[in-house]
Amino acid sequence: MNAVKWSPFNTVKGDIIVVPNLWFYQLLLVTLVLICLLMHVWWPDPSRVACPRTFKPEKPRRTRSKDSKPFTGYIHKPLCEACEQATDMRPKAPGSPPPVMRFTRGRRRSVHTSSHFCPAPDCSYHGWLGRGNIRANGQPGGQPWRQLQCVSCQGYFLATHGTIFAGKRSSVELIVRVIACLAEGLGIRGTARVFAIDPNTVLSWLVQASEQLKAFSTYFLHELHLNQIQLDELYAVLSAVRDGEVSEAEAIERLSRSPRWVWTAIDPETKLLLSVQVGDRTLAMAQAVLHQITQLLAPGCVPLFLRDGCAHYLTAIVTHFGHWMQPPRRQARGAAPKPRWMPLPALLDAQVVKQMRRRRLVAVKHRIVFGTQAAVAQVLASCGWQINTAFVERLNLSLRQRVAAMRRRSATSCKGEDGLGQHLVLFQVYHNFVLPHTSLREALAEPIPTNGRGSAKVWRPCTPAMAAGLTDHVWSLQEVLLYRIPPWPQPQTV
């Protein structure tokens, strides 16, 4: 037997020497190393606890300044499609008015025809009011409407020419009551059920009335001297199912109950509704609203604008109330700086920014965009107010109450923007000329006794149009619908 070298790791069992497995020692060595590493990491170091390591403080992050930066202007004037097209809302007269006709012979006329004009385009008195060329000719054939004659061209026409009642067989009372129900917030189908007529008839009357009322507003709303204007927008839900453009499934998925925005502008002092338009919440719509407002204001009138945090209003306001200004040189040499489109010096603009959290109002901030705090406070001090948009928000409530298509969770939503626009035109005229406002009523110098045992009248009802000086009485809806709108503004007769 060969001799084996003795080692302390060898074990002798009888005559046989057993050599242990090498893998066992390798595993034991790895285990010891891991135990040392764990003890080094987890075992608390007294020197480290006693002397904590000091870290260098990091540089504080730069925070944006909350102070409003001065407006630097635009290198190019912002684009407004209405201004580019140069469409004038109020057509001008073709020439000077013709001479007034006066009749000294015969019986004095008992029927006033000063609110009528000759519709014949070839007549020299066409479109002119109060020139004495119109006379009443009775009611031929037992018709309910009076026939009128132009003395100049010897032409005949009915008193309903150019109104919604022209060529209608239905009674005036029925048509007026149907339009009144729509103005008070009843839907088209509900109105048709009340008066037992076809819904398509109600719709056709609304379309014709909206065209006439739109011209009525354009004729009366002009040359306004306003101190302040409040702007706002609210959403409306439309059921925009369009036949032929998309399939029924795509229409239900993409277009059904699609939201649109209703842009409103109101004078808070007289409660006069200046503009109400339907469209998306884009810069183009903001430009269209401000363009319409500038058409209503008197030349040189620059009111105070009070609005919410919508960013599109800034560009639209500066577009229509701005001018070119040459910035001063910053250095003696080099090219001169380019002129910039800047707001007018008299322009005042303030924002009411509301912070919402979980559909609840948590904070309201006021921000002066153009002008100074003192200048804005001076304009509002005449009414005892502060910066707010409360009046236009109250108008939004009236819109949802009297326009059936704008109610929340309503089954009377319109199919498109045209249908909603027709309701809004009716609401604008009804709000401005027909509906008296309690906040605008005037106290009478002496109480007027009433018939019967009722208390005497101590207040004079007043509409926004009366408060703005556009009219001197409260209009009835029938009077508005019977009014023949002249083709151009008429000169003031003395």
Side-chain angles (χ1 to χ4, degrees), residues 143-362:
Q143 298 181 2
W145 299 111
R146 189 179 300 277
Q147 187 184 50
L148 304 176
Q149 181 188 19
C150 177
V151 180
S152 176
C153 65
Q154 300 298 323
Y156 294 91
F157 60 95
L158 293 177
T160 57
H161 182 83
T163 66
I164 187 178
F165 304 105
K168 295 289 190 304
R169 294 183 179 181
S170 302
S171 63
V172 179
E173 292 77 10
L174 177 61
I175 298 177
V176 171
R177 288 180 181 179
V178 167
I179 301 300
C181 285
L182 296 175
E184 285 292 342
L186 195 60
I188 293 178
R189 295 188 180 274
T191 304
R193 288 192 295 267
V194 169
F195 295 98
I197 56 179
D198 189 76
N200 294 325
T201 303
V202 178
L203 179 60
S204 64
W205 290 352
L206 174 61
V207 173
Q208 297 176 15
S210 64
E211 297 176 357
Q212 179 182 350
L213 296 177
K214 187 175 181 180
F216 184 89
S217 293
T218 304
Y219 179 76
F220 279 94
L221 298 182
H222 65 95
E223 302 291 333
L224 300 177
H225 296 272
L226 305 180
N227 296 324
Q228 50 183 314
I229 297 175
Q230 292 187 5
L231 306 170
D232 196 13
E233 61 282 343
L234 71 159
Y235 73 91
V237 178
L238 304 180
S239 178
V241 180
R242 304 174 184 174
D243 298 333
E245 297 184 8
V246 293
S247 63
E248 184 177 357
E250 292 177 349
I252 294 176
E253 181 180 357
R254 294 169 45 195
L255 302 176
S256 178
R257 299 189 65 80
S258 58
R260 289 294 183 271
W261 292 87
V262 177
W263 299 69
T264 57
I266 187 175
D267 175 20
E269 296 183 7
T270 62
K271 311 299 185 298
L272 189 69
L273 181 55
L274 304 174
S275 175
V276 54
Q277 299 187 34
V278 187
D280 297 329
R281 205 176 185 187
T282 57
L283 176 59
M285 275 302 305
Q287 294 279 21
V289 172
L290 266 296
H291 178 80
Q292 183 178 4
I293 292 175
T294 55
Q295 297 293 320
L296 305 179
L297 296 177
C301 178
V302 183
L304 162 66
F305 288 95
L306 301 170
R307 55 188 178 88
D308 58 5
C310 182
H312 299 308
Y313 282 125
L314 173 64
T315 305
I317 291 174
V318 176
T319 301
H320 297 88
F321 294 91
H323 69 296
W324 288 106
M325 190 182 71
Q326 180 66 41
R329 281 180 170 270
R330 296 185 178 180
Q331 53 188 4
R333 298 181 179 180
K338 295 183 178 179
R340 290 183 173 270
W341 185 261
M342 297 291 292
L344 295 173
L347 179 61
L348 300 177
D349 183 19
Q351 276 184 328
V352 179
V353 183
K354 299 180 181 179
Q355 295 181 0
M356 308 293 292
R357 185 178 299 169
R358 294 181 180 179
R359 297 183 179 181
R360 293 183 179 273
L361 181 65
V362 295

Side-chain angles (χ1 to χ4, degrees), residues 115 401 416:
S115 60
Q401 288 177 340

Side-chain angles (χ1 to χ4, degrees), residues 116 126 166 179 224 263 319 340 356 364 369 411 424 428 488:
H116 294 277
H126 167 67
I179 301 300
L224 300 177
W263 299 69
T319 301
R340 290 183 173 270
M356 308 293 292
V364 178
V369 182
L424 294 176
Q428 183 181 13
W488 52 74

Side-chain angles (χ1 to χ4, degrees), residues 35-58:
I35 292 173
C36 293
L37 289 175
L38 292 175
M39 291 178 62
H40 177 74
V41 173
W42 287 350
W43 195 267
D45 189 0
S47 61
R48 189 185 308 173
V49 174
C51 303
R53 184 178 177 184
T54 58
F55 295 93
K56 278 187 176 183
E58 296 182 358

